Amino acid sequence: MRLSTGVRQLGLAGRVVALLGTALLLSASGTIVGEAAQTPAGTAPTAVQPKAPPAARLSITPRDGARDVRPDLGIQVRAGGGRLRSVVVRAKGASVPGAMSADHKSWRTLWTLAPGSPYTVRATAVNSHGRTTTRTSSFTTLAPVQTIGIADVTPNDGETVGVGMPITVTFDRAVLNKDQVEKALEVRSTKPGRGGWRWVSDQQAIFRTSGYWQPHQQVTVTAHLGGVRAAQDVYGTADTTRSFRIGTANLSRVDTQRHRMVVSRDGRRVRDVGISAGRGGSWMFTTTNGVHAVMRKASPVVMTSAWMHVTDPEDPRYYKLTVFDAVQISNSGEYVHSAPWSVWAQGNSNVSHGCVNASPEFAGWFYGISQRGDIVTVTGTNRELEWNNGYGYWQMPWKQWVKGSALKQPVQVTHPASPPPSRKPLR
């Protein structure tokens, strides 16, 4: 009887051990044990859902509610954990242009902001799962204590000029932060080109192309001056835009040794005439050698020796002449003009005070076709045209010209010539 009971107990213990072994085998094979083992038969276990990525982060500078913001610092928007989908900036109802980075991680304004103006920024970013995030910022730029503006831009708005025409921007007060102001000067044309700015004073910058302008195109120059910090506590308040046209390529060559003047128009030689240049003997009566550009034309013009401080009629150097069809090519009193009194010398000798004498017929024709910026190259004399004499800027080598830039680099002229969207000038 005791033996029988012991056998029964041993059999029960064996079954327990067997069950435990089976459970261990099931656990090792990857079968869910524990609470999962209690899942009713035929019911699949619940899958673990992956955690959703966080929303994209947006930062806007200047911050919301900021006041007296420096307009020269612009607006910057950055996205973290996602990509920017859109950025819209408005000031007094006008949209403000900006540039998006290639990876859509950042955006910033193209130009400085208008002073004393409220701005609103609305930015939207999206994360990898398409979840969007939107932030806004409203702020106000400071009102400047002192301002700077444009006193003059040459050429005139709507003027047709020659292929050698420079662009001159004159400011109404000294510019100390020349690099910042130069960055705000934009030149656009309908045909591609390359040029560079050179500061000739604290109030004037001049743009010259590396080669002549391509003819028959539109050029637009915009000074995005509004919001530019030109000096400490000095800001521009408005932008200025001028558009002009490059006309026919009038290129003339004056050979003082052969006493000839040859004129080409758009690459075609159209006139070859006899002329008389400066008689020489002293520098003041010697026609300057080099690349000139037409500065203006007038008829008549009274020419005197006062430019060289000779005003006494008894002085053998004195002269006073009224001339017609006069095309000015330098600041030192040189013109191509009608000279009926020297027709006898034109083509065989030099007898003028330094001007290029021509027959009334040719001078009238040349006057009619001339534009500011047309090129007149003089050869054969020993008096070199100074680079800053009139529009003698072509006399300076290109690499040296670019060194006069505050940024020390050339500018690729963008196109088309129509001005880009810009903020409205604030009054």
Side-chain angles (χ1 to χ4, degrees):
M1 190 68 164
R2 286 193 297 271
L3 179 61
S4 175
T5 301
V7 171
R8 285 197 304 270
Q9 288 175 344
L10 180 60
L12 178 61
R15 287 195 298 271
V16 170
V17 170
L19 287 172
L20 287 173
T22 302
L24 288 172
L25 287 172
L26 287 173
S27 176
S29 67
T31 304
I32 298 174
V33 297
E35 293 182 356
Q38 300 174 10
T39 303
T43 303
T46 303
V48 177
Q49 295 297 324
K51 188 177 181 180
R57 303 178 304 280
L58 277 170
S59 66
I60 301 175
T61 306
R63 61 177 176 78
D64 188 40
R67 302 180 64 84
D68 294 331
V69 170
R70 277 178 50 178
D72 58 306
L73 300 181
I75 299 170
Q76 184 161 318
V77 180
R78 292 185 178 277
R83 292 161 53 90
L84 287 170
R85 174 175 285 177
S86 66
V87 179
V88 178
V89 180
R90 301 190 70 80
K92 293 192 173 182
S95 61
V96 178
M100 185 80 74
S101 65
D103 59 4
H104 281 239
K105 296 289 187 181
S106 64
W107 180 100
R108 69 173 300 114
T109 41
L110 284 177
W111 309 105
T112 51
L113 309 180
S117 179
Y119 279 80
T120 59
V121 184
R122 182 181 176 86
T124 301
V126 60
N127 70 3
S128 58
H129 279 219
R131 180 181 174 186
T132 61
T133 303
T134 298
R135 284 196 63 182
T136 61
S137 175
S138 297
F139 61 90
T140 305
T141 54
L142 63 80
V145 176
Q146 302 178 80
T147 63
I148 187 171
I150 303 294
D152 182 72
V153 176
T154 302
N156 298 326
D157 201 32
E159 184 178 359
T160 298
V161 299
V163 295
M165 187 69 193
I167 300 172
T168 303
V169 178
T170 306
F171 301 91
D172 61 10
R173 67 185 302 158
V175 175
L176 300 185
N177 297 335
K178 291 182 176 63
D179 58 337
Q180 299 303 309
V181 171
E182 190 175 315
K183 286 177 184 178
L185 302 178
E186 181 185 35
V187 180
R188 301 168 71 88
S189 63
T190 50
K191 297 179 181 180
R194 187 174 68 144
W197 292 96
R198 184 178 185 87
W199 291 85
V200 296
S201 74
D202 285 342
Q203 288 186 238
Q204 194 171 78
I206 296 172
F207 181 89
R208 197 206 93 184
T209 42
S210 57
Y212 300 144
W213 294 102
Q214 294 188 56
H216 308 294
Q217 64 165 319
Q218 193 77 13
V219 177
T220 298
V221 56
T222 301
H224 298 273
L225 199 60
V228 172
R229 190 169 182 252
Q232 186 173 353
D233 299 325
V234 179
Y235 290 87
T237 57
D239 298 346
T240 299
T241 296
R242 296 285 186 273
S243 293
F244 56 94
R245 183 165 182 78
I246 308 297
T248 302
N250 293 329
L251 305 179
S252 301
R253 294 192 68 85
V254 175
D255 187 333
T256 63
Q257 299 287 325
R258 295 179 57 247
H259 318 292
R260 305 296 296 181
M261 180 170 176
V262 177
V263 181
S264 297
R265 306 196 73 201
D266 284 342
R268 186 170 66 89
R269 182 167 162 167
V270 293
R271 297 296 298 267
D272 183 346
V273 300
I275 55 89
S276 180
R279 65 175 182 252
S282 68
W283 71 272
M284 64 186 65
F285 296 138
T286 303
T287 307
T288 54
N289 204 72
V291 182
H292 305 66
V294 171
M295 300 176 63
R296 70 181 185 108
K297 62 182 182 179
S299 186
V301 171
V302 177
M303 297 183 177
T304 74
S305 53
W307 67 274
M308 53 184 181
H309 310 293
V310 176
T311 57
D312 183 359
E314 300 300 321
D315 191 313
R317 300 171 299 167
Y318 175 84
Y319 64 86
K320 183 177 181 180
L321 297 171
T322 299
V323 301
F324 295 88
D325 298 326
V327 177
Q328 186 175 1
I329 61 173
S330 79
N331 260 344
S332 52
E334 293 170 301
Y335 291 77
V336 177
H337 66 78
S338 173
W341 58 85
S342 70
V343 169
W344 63 271
Q346 294 164 21
N348 60 77
S349 57
N350 295 326
V351 299
S352 82
H353 293 107
C355 291
V356 177
N357 286 185
S359 70
E361 180 277 326
F362 173 78
W365 174 84
F366 187 71
Y367 183 92
I369 69 164
S370 290
Q371 313 156 128
R372 281 206 293 180
D374 286 348
I375 294 297
V376 179
T377 302
V378 177
T379 63
T381 82
N382 60 5
R383 180 187 172 191
E384 203 70 14
L385 175 69
E386 304 88 351
W387 75 269
N388 56 355
N389 184 347
Y391 292 165
Y393 308 128
W394 297 99
Q395 289 290 92
M396 181 176 287
W398 170 244
K399 288 185 178 179
Q400 187 177 346
W401 178 269
V402 174
K403 290 179 181 178
S405 158
L407 302 176
K408 310 298 181 187
Q409 60 186 16
V411 175
Q412 196 66 33
V413 180
T414 57
H415 58 284
S418 55
S422 183
R423 55 184 176 268
K424 292 180 178 178
L426 300 179
R427 297 291 185 262

